[in-house]
Amino acid sequence: MAHSRAMDAATSRSEGAPPGAEPGPRASLRNVGICAHIDAGKTTLTERVLHLTGRERHVGRVDEGTSVMDWMSEERERGITITAAATRVQWRGCEINLVDTPGHVDFTVEVERCMRVLDGAIVVVDATKGVEPQTETVWRQVEARELPAIAFANKCERPGADVLACAESLRERLGVRPLVVSYPIGGGDTEEPLDGVVDLVARTAWRVGAGGVQRERDLPEAIADEVDVLRAELVDALSELDETMFAIVCDGRTPTPEEIERSLAVLVRAREVVPLFCGAALLGHGVPRLLDGVATLLPSPAEAEPPKLFDAETGAIAHEALPEPLALAFKVHSKLRRGQRSDLTFVRLYAGKVEKGSRLWNGRTGVTEEIQSVLRIHASDVEHIGEAYGGDVVALGGLRTTGTGDTLTLEGGRLRLEPPRVPNPVLGVVVEPVRDEDRLALRDALEQLAREDPSLRTAEDPGTGQWVLEGMGELHLEIALARVGDEFGVTPRVGPPRVAFRESIRAAATGAGEVDRSYGDAWGNAVVEVRVEPLDDGAADVDVEIGPGARADGGGLDAPSARAVAAALRVEATSGPLEGHPLSGARIVVEVARTTVSRGLEAAWVQAAVAALRDALRSAATASSVVLLEPRMAFVVESPVDVASGVIGDLNSRHATMEEILSTGTDGRRIVGTAPLRTLIGYSTDLRSLSKGRATFNMRPAEHAPLAGEDLRQDFPVGR
C-alpha cells in the first residue's frame, strides 16, 4: 500500500525553502550527476544534452577526442573521463547544473565528492549489458547520500540491447524497484534499426529529426499491444505505492499523463522507485524525455533534505538553522592562465549569497578568504556571474588556503558541514627529480595535485630526497604523473608500483611523555598521557580526541594548543612502530595534560604529546598488538566459459578468495571475489593473454586486512 508519510515529507519539503534562498531560482534549479560503469556512455549522453539544449552547436565525440566535457589532454587521448566536469543547461524552464563523473574505479573518490553536493542522480546502464560492477559501486554512493535517482538504458541501437532485461538487472543487482517509462522502437535484436522511443506515460512516440530535433511520430502497430501492457504495468506499480493513484484505479478511471507524472515525482523523491528511460545518446533518441524526467521528477534544492551540521569543536551534530552564507568546497582545480597558475574552488552554496568581494571564513585554516570572482563552469571554460545564491553550484576564484572538504561561512562560525571521507590509498610509487634544479618544481607539483585530489597523498623522505606518491590504483597514479609533466613541466624519475601497507592496533595501549626545558627566554614544562585504541566501527581513519582531563578547564590545553597537539599527533601517526607505515583504524585520546608553569607553552605540549604517542605505540608493538595491513581488492571477472577454469586457477595462485561463480547465459561466467592487491598488479595484461582478449576485469578497493603469508612480501615491494 502507499507510503503516505514519504509523500507527506516530500510535499512539506516543497512548500518551504531553507534560509537564504531565493524561491524562484531555487525552485527551478536541479543539481544532477551522471554516473555509470566505464564506457556506458555518460559523456556521450552529456554531449548530446549540450547540443539538444543549445549549449553547444555540435555534438562532441569521445572516440574522436572532440567531447567538450572530456577536456583534459589525458581524457581525450584515453577516451575516458578522469575528472568530474560541470556545466549548466536550460530545459523547459529549469536550470540544470549537470556533472559528468568518471566511470573508472580508480576515480571513485572523485564521484563521491560530487555526490556529496548533488540533489539527484542519473544512472546510465548499457542496454546490452545491464548493471556492471562499477554501476554497483556508484549506486552504493548514490544510496549513501540518499539521492533520488532516475536511470537511462543507453545504446538501445546495438544488437543485444534489451530494456526489460536492464530493468530486471537493476532490480536484482541494485535492489531497487525500476519502473520502465520509455520503450525503444526497433533496435536491439529486432530486424529494424532503432527509430525512436515510446513515452509510456503519455503513450506517444518520438524520433530524431533533422538537426537532432525530436519529432512526434506514429506509434507502430507492431508494438502497440506491448506498449499498452507496459503502460498498464506502470500504472499498477504506481497504484501499489501511491494512494492517489490507487484511488484513481479503484474508480475505474484511466489516469492522465499528468497524474502519472505527479505520482512518479512523489515516489522518486521519496526514493521508492527508479524510473528507467531508454534511448541512444549517440543518435539522440530518448534524450529529451530523459531531460523531462530530470525537470519533473528530481528535486530542486528547496525540496532536498538540508545538510547535517557539526560543531567544529566537539564534532557533535548541531540541530540549528543553516548559517548564512554557508558553502562546502568539494573540488579544487589549478589552471594556467596567461602564464600564471590560479586555483578555482568548486563549492556548493547551501544558504545565503556570495558575490565578488564577499569574505568567507575557513574554520579549518582559521583564514578569512576574499572572493575575487564568482564563476559559472562549462567544462574547462568559465563565465563570470555577479552573484550566487543558496542551492547553486559554482566556482570561486581567489581562495588561497581552502581545500577539498572545507566549510566556508561567516568569520568565527563554529558550525561546519560534513567533509568528504577519503579512503586510504592502496598503491604508491617513488618519485624523484631527474635534475636537482627540478626539485622545487616537483615538490610544488605534487603538493598541488594532493591539494586538488585528497585521495592522492605525498610524503618526502629527507634522507633520500625522494617522494612517495600514493593513490587509488595504477591508472590514478599514471594520470597524476602525466599531469606533472604536461601541466607543471617536470618529468620525474618514477620507480615501480609499491603496495601501500598500513599498520593498526588490536588492543589499547597507553604512553606518557614529559618535557622540561627552556625555549629561548621561556621555560616549558609539560606532561602528556595518551591512550591508543582500535576504532570500534572499523573505520580506516585515525581519530584524535582531547579528553576532559587534558582540557584547559583542568589546567591543561587551551584551544590553540589543543589544535596544535592534535595536528602533531596526526602527523606522528603517519609512521607506525613496525615498519614505518601509516597508522590506520585507531583512536588517539589525550587523557592527561598538565604543567607546573603558569602558562603552558605550545611547543612543549606538542613535544610531550608526540613522545607519549611513541611510547604508547612501542608498548603496543612489544605486546604484539600491532598488525601489518595490506589492501585487498574486490574483483569481478567476466569470462567465456571455455577459459573460466583457467582464469579461476590463475586467481587461486594469486591467493584470491572466490565469493561467487555465476552463469551469465550459456557461454559466460562471472567470477566475484577478493584478493591482495600485491598479486593483482598487472593482472589485466595477464588476463588478456590467458583469455586471448575475451575476458574483462574490474576491481575496486575493498579493505585493508592483516597480511596473509608474510613470506610472500619479498616478491612484492611495499610502500614506505
Side-chain angles (χ1 to χ4, degrees), residues 509-513 528-532 589 591-592 608-609 611-619:
T510 59
V528 175
E529 297 178 11
V530 303
R531 184 179 76 256
V532 186
V589 182
E591 295 188 309
V592 174
L613 177 57
R614 290 174 180 172
D615 184 40
L617 292 178
R618 279 195 300 268
S619 298

Side-chain angles (χ1 to χ4, degrees), residues 522-545:
W523 190 266
N525 174 272
V527 174
V528 175
E529 297 178 11
V530 303
R531 184 179 76 256
V532 186
E533 59 189 16
L535 286 173
D536 295 333
D537 57 5
D541 301 328
V542 172
D543 288 346
V544 178
E545 295 182 5

Side-chain angles (χ1 to χ4, degrees), residues 98 117 273 295 380 536 606 650 687 713:
L98 197 62
V117 298
V273 300
S380 62
D536 295 333
V606 167
D650 181 63
L687 179 65
R713 294 176 55 214

